[in-house]
Structure formats: structure tokens, C-alpha cells
Amino acid sequence: MPSQTLTIEHSTKATAPPSETPWGIQTRDPAVIRRIEREGIFGLGETYIEGGWTTNRLDELLYKAFTTPQKSLPWLVWAKWISSVVDQRLFNRNTGAGAYNIATQHYDLGNDLFREMLDPSMTYTSGYWANASTLAEAQDAKLELICQKLKLRPGMHVLDIGCGWGNFAKYAAERYGAHVTGITVSKEQAEEARRRCQGLPVEIRLQDYREVTERFDRIVSIEMIEAVGRKNLRTFYRVVDRCLKVNGLFVLQAITGDTCSRTSDRRFDQYILWILKYIFPDGYLPCQSELSACTDTSLRIENWESFGQDYDRTLLAWADNFERGWDGLKNKYGEAFRRRWEFYLFGCAAAFRANHIGVCQIVYSKGGRAAGSNS
């Protein structure tokens, strides 16, 4: 059977576009198209992993899928959607041993993977591209912006909730003379962070955020809140409030979105269901309103900055690094992993491009005023 070039229109119905369409689906199997019609964007991801189709521009194809009007969810995806909504509201899977699931299934995949994909600092969060031309510059600019918003000074003790591979801890200690305690639930991250921060006033702990009891001059959390879970958002803010000194500052960088709710976009929800299955188990993107509803704490918002389109560019840079480094990874990870990771990176880039999700930095003060001194 000759190859067919297809695109997704309306309710993920496959039709033949002009051959020059760069985001068209190329497949030799009509069963793949029938499955996509049956399972929508979720089925796109499933069949892509299986090698059922290819495209010249995966990010553009998914952008079209995210922005093309759709009347309703395919019935199979509707059942998964209902299950996800109920699960988020009834169960708390991000507590106890469950708090470590995301590390086991994602961050502990292998430091070799993330070394190839990320910039030299191994920063796995959105860069800040306002005055940057490379990924490394964008990540340095983001870390510098956070340090400035924290009003860091030498000797301040900073808690980094979700410290990753130690990128912020190393930057704040080297550039600002801060003492940093970083916590992570990933063994792989903790080992690499300790190696990177050796000789600096940095302590890296394998610890859940709820177990921290000390008080700090400053607190930072860079895209960790997405792993907290919907039912633990209030707990997260209470921990920050408990651990932050009076007049201290807390900077949060967060991915925001309205997902799997009565008001969410059903096209993007299908992709979120795929992400929850394959990439970030038990993850939850908080709404902007949830990040400002900390009224039962003494935290108050001082500044809010959004730069969602910067994540599109960051993800494309990661995807390019991943592709260029694949020869050194393929024997360990295999072809199905490559396609799954591509669908993740390019799909998220498309989602930011379509404004289904955003990223922001929020500055909170404890006591309701901007802090300029240590307490």
C-alpha cells in the first residue's frame, strides 16, 4: 500500500492535505488512522510510540491538533478523562511512598539522558530568553532573575524545594555566597547534585518537602509544585510558611494550566492523559487561582511574571539536544522510548505555543511586604 500523508482536522478525523503540508501524518497502515479517529490525540501518542506513523514537524502537527475545533471527546478518552478527574478529587497519591513515584518513573531514568538533553548546568525548567541566544544563556538568565527576586546576600540560608541536579544551589552559592539546602526525591539527582556542588556551602538531601522543619531566610521552588498533587497544594504552602522566616521571600516558578476540569480544553486534556500515563505519573498543573489562594498562611504575593512562550523555545532546544545525542543513548533506551520522549517534548512545546499552559515566577513575602533584610 502506498504511503499516505494525512493531517488531523475537526474530531481528529484524518483527511488528505496538500503534499507540501509539513505536519502531515505519513503512514502505510489505515488501521492507525482508524485508531486515531477512535482515540483522538491520546491515540496519536499511542500509535506514535508504536511507530505507526511519522511526520516532518511533530510540534506543528500537535499544535494543529490542540487548536482545531473539536465537538467532543472520543468515547474511550472520555472514560479515561472521567477516571482522571475522579482520581484527582478522591485520592492523594502524592504522599508517603507515593511522593517518590515521580522520581522512580521519570527523574531516575538516567543522568546520561538528562546530560545529553539539557544545558551544561542540567537545568530542567524553562529558560528565560529575553536577552539570551542559547539555551545555556537562557538558563543562566533564569537563575539570575530568581536570585535577584530573592534579594540574595552572602550568608543567607536558602531552601531549594525540588533542587534537581543542583543547578540553582550551585549558582546561588558561587555567585551570591548563599548557603543552600536542596531537597529532592530522586536518588539520581541527589548524587549528581552533591558531586556538582562539592566544596560549596550546599547540602543536598533525599527528602520529602513535608519533612523539613528548619527555618530559612529564603525559599525557592522551581517547577516542583507540579509534582505536589492537587490535594497537597495547601500543605505545600503551609510548609513554606512554616519554614520561612518573618519578612523572608519565597520565589516559585510554576507551570500553570486548567486541565481535566469542567472548564478545561478537551483537546489538550487528551494529551494530559497521555502525559500522566507515560511521563509524569500523578502530576497536576495548578491553576493560577490556586497559586494565589494562600490566604490561610502569612504569605502574600509581591510580584507575578509570566513567560510561557519561553518554554516553547526551551523545549525545542531540549528536543534538538536529545536528537543530536541519541546515538549515545539508543542502545540503553530503545526506539519506543525515543518516540515517547519526542511526543513528550514536542507536544509540550506545542501546548505552550497554543497557550494551553503557561509558566510564571511568583514572589511571595512572609508578613506582606517585600523583604530587604535578614531576620
Side-chain angles (χ1 to χ4, degrees):
M1 179 178 177
S3 175
Q4 301 177 36
T5 301
L6 304 155
T7 191
I8 305 300
E9 295 184 353
H10 304 298
S11 178
T12 66
K13 182 179 180 182
T15 57
S19 58
E20 67 270 12
T21 304
W23 53 84
I25 290 177
Q26 299 169 10
T27 183
R28 294 179 179 273
D29 188 354
V32 169
I33 302 307
R34 290 194 295 269
R35 186 175 177 188
I36 292 171
E37 291 176 334
R38 197 168 59 244
E39 300 181 20
I41 295 172
F42 185 88
L44 267 180
E46 299 284 74
T47 52
Y48 189 75
I49 293 174
E50 295 164 3
W53 57 273
T54 61
T55 182
N56 295 327
R57 285 293 305 274
L58 183 55
D59 58 321
E60 277 298 300
L61 183 145
L62 286 167
Y63 174 78
K64 295 294 182 183
F66 292 155
T67 55
T68 298
Q70 182 177 343
K71 294 180 180 179
S72 62
L73 284 176
W75 70 268
L76 181 62
V77 182
W78 178 256
K80 294 178 183 293
W81 185 89
I82 292 293
S83 176
S84 179
V85 171
V86 171
D87 187 83
Q88 288 180 357
R89 282 156 177 76
L90 294 185
F91 302 102
N92 187 356
R93 304 191 187 280
N94 304 76
T95 188
Y100 292 79
N101 285 343
I102 193 167
T104 303
Q105 298 185 46
H106 189 93
Y107 297 107
D108 288 345
L109 285 170
N111 287 339
D112 55 346
L113 165 66
F114 294 103
R115 284 193 196 99
E116 291 291 346
M117 187 179 85
L118 305 176
D119 73 297
S121 73
M122 290 184 73
T123 301
Y124 194 23
T125 52
S126 178
Y128 190 76
W129 290 87
N131 298 302
S133 57
T134 68
L135 178 61
E137 289 175 357
Q139 297 296 13
D140 262 13
K142 183 265 301 296
L143 296 173
E144 178 62 25
L145 184 63
I146 290 173
C147 288
Q148 290 180 11
K149 289 179 178 179
L150 287 169
K151 301 182 180 178
L152 281 189
R153 293 201 310 276
M156 284 186 169
H157 194 184
V158 184
L159 173 65
D160 183 359
I161 303 176
C163 65
W165 291 274
N167 48 83
F168 171 83
K170 186 174 187 292
Y171 190 96
E174 287 182 337
R175 306 283 184 97
Y176 284 85
H179 294 251
V180 183
T181 296
I183 62 171
T184 176
V185 294
S186 165
K187 293 180 181 178
E188 292 282 329
Q189 286 185 336
E191 290 176 4
E192 182 70 11
R194 288 171 187 144
R195 186 189 69 79
R196 286 172 167 263
C197 297
Q198 191 172 6
L200 295 171
V202 173
E203 178 191 10
I204 303 296
R205 302 177 186 170
L206 189 65
Q207 186 177 38
D208 182 75
Y209 68 95
R210 284 161 286 213
E211 299 169 355
V212 181
T213 58
E214 305 98 311
R215 298 179 72 219
F216 298 85
D217 303 306
R218 302 288 188 264
I219 299 178
V220 64
S221 186
I222 309 172
E223 293 180 31
M224 174 272 180
I225 199 169
E226 303 82 7
V228 163
R230 185 176 188 267
K231 295 183 74 68
N232 297 312
L233 290 174
R234 292 181 69 183
T235 299
F236 177 84
Y237 277 106
R238 286 171 178 168
V239 169
V240 171
D241 191 28
R242 180 185 75 210
C243 294
L244 186 62
K245 293 181 179 180
V246 175
N247 295 328
L249 293 174
F250 166 47
V251 171
L252 175 74
Q253 181 165 312
I255 301 173
T256 61
D258 179 14
T259 61
C260 294
S261 73
R262 289 177 298 174
T263 58
S264 58
D265 189 295
R266 298 296 180 264
R267 296 164 298 184
F268 183 57
D269 280 349
Q270 296 174 63
Y271 181 71
I272 286 293
L273 293 174
W274 185 91
I275 285 284
L276 290 173
K277 178 179 179 180
Y278 287 108
I279 307 297
F280 292 110
D282 304 321
Y284 175 72
L285 299 183
C287 300
Q288 291 189 9
S289 60
E290 291 174 312
L291 301 180
S292 58
C294 46
T295 53
D296 58 346
T297 72
S298 55
L299 301 174
R300 299 294 179 267
I301 294 175
E302 300 286 348
N303 180 266
W304 188 307
E305 181 178 3
S306 298
F307 50 102
Q309 293 305 307
D310 287 29
Y311 226 142
D312 181 359
R313 191 169 177 182
T314 301
L315 284 152
L316 292 182
W318 289 344
D320 183 60
N321 287 346
F322 176 69
E323 181 181 359
R324 287 189 288 106
W326 179 245
D327 280 347
L329 299 170
K330 61 184 179 182
N331 290 337
K332 176 180 177 180
Y333 293 94
E335 182 63 15
F337 179 89
R338 181 184 71 82
R339 297 177 72 83
R340 182 167 78 242
W341 211 250
E342 287 176 348
F343 202 81
Y344 153 53
L345 294 174
F346 285 117
C348 286
F352 280 102
R353 197 175 306 163
N355 293 316
H356 285 314
I357 47 178
V359 66
C360 62
Q361 284 181 3
I362 310 171
V363 181
Y364 302 83
S365 66
K366 181 168 180 174
R369 63 182 180 83
S373 62
N374 195 5
S375 297

